[in-house]
Amino acid sequence: MFLVVLDPAHGLVAAPRSSDDLSPGTEETLTAQGFAWNSEIEAFTRPTDNSPAAVELTADTLRELGHYVLSSYAFLPTA
């Protein structure tokens, strides 16, 4: 399972639930789309234009690879 969200600090984030979700094909696909692994937050990140379309494209790609995906493109308010 993956969570795909926009994050003000990290851009577009594709976070696997566990390392079991990180198949070589999934990692290759995300890397080809410009994502890089961020070990600090244990997720793939990439700069983005903050558009809902970017979230949906990534979520759809992960679904096509057989993953369950939760996605949101609304920034959470900060304190």
Side-chain angles (χ1 to χ4, degrees):
M1 177 182 288
F2 272 81
L3 174 64
V4 179
V5 295
L6 294 172
D7 179 78
H10 298 98
L12 183 57
V13 176
R17 180 175 180 206
S18 74
S19 60
D20 293 339
D21 296 312
L22 297 176
S23 68
T26 299
E27 292 184 52
E28 288 174 16
T29 299
L30 289 171
T31 300
Q33 290 186 354
F35 284 88
W37 180 253
N38 182 326
S39 58
E40 181 181 316
I41 63 170
E42 297 186 2
F44 287 91
T45 63
R46 80 165 192 222
T48 184
D49 60 4
N50 297 335
S51 73
V55 172
E56 289 306 312
L57 177 63
T58 302
D60 287 345
T61 298
L62 289 167
R63 287 181 186 110
E64 288 173 5
L65 293 170
H67 296 284
Y68 290 103
V69 180
L70 299 173
S71 61
S72 173
Y73 38 82
F75 282 120
L76 295 176
T78 57

